[in-house]
Amino acid sequence: MFTSGSLSGSKPEQYEQLLAQARALMHGERDRIANAANLSALVYHALPQLNWVGFYFFDGTELVVGPFQGLPACVRIPLDKGVCGAAASSRQTACDSASNSELVVPLVSSKGELIGVLDLDSPVQDRFDVDDQHGLEAIARAFEESLE
């Protein structure tokens, strides 16, 4: 049975620990819904000052909400709208320029196909920095790898 541990050390060290927990949580499981659900819960409960963590999956036309932790969210997001759409379209991590409290990491298959995005929101101004970006990109890569 999986058990999460508390994170300690510097922020990069904490993300290394969280990545190890994420890999252990997804080990041997290829179902994207199961892994997205567990990862959403893991990240939501492990990192401070978050009010939403979840996945939006690309359905061939737009992003559709997937497993998440937090309050109900937008169900569908066009690729030309908002931070999620920008990250999905550009395949580059994006932050909310208005509040600096949203971080969106694109999810792309090894064949270059858009899978969706990992979206994190915080009520705290300037919550996300480059350490968060790098740590969450590594977790997103682990999710992508779990699907192959």
Side-chain angles (χ1 to χ4, degrees), residues 19-54:
L19 177 59
Q21 290 178 20
R23 288 188 189 282
L25 187 62
M26 296 183 293
H27 180 74
E29 182 55 62
R30 293 191 181 276
D31 186 87
R32 78 176 185 172
I33 300 300
N35 286 340
N38 275 332
L39 271 183
S40 297
L42 177 69
V43 172
Y44 185 81
H45 290 286
L47 300 180
Q49 302 175 321
L50 299 179
N51 60 358
W52 203 91
V53 175

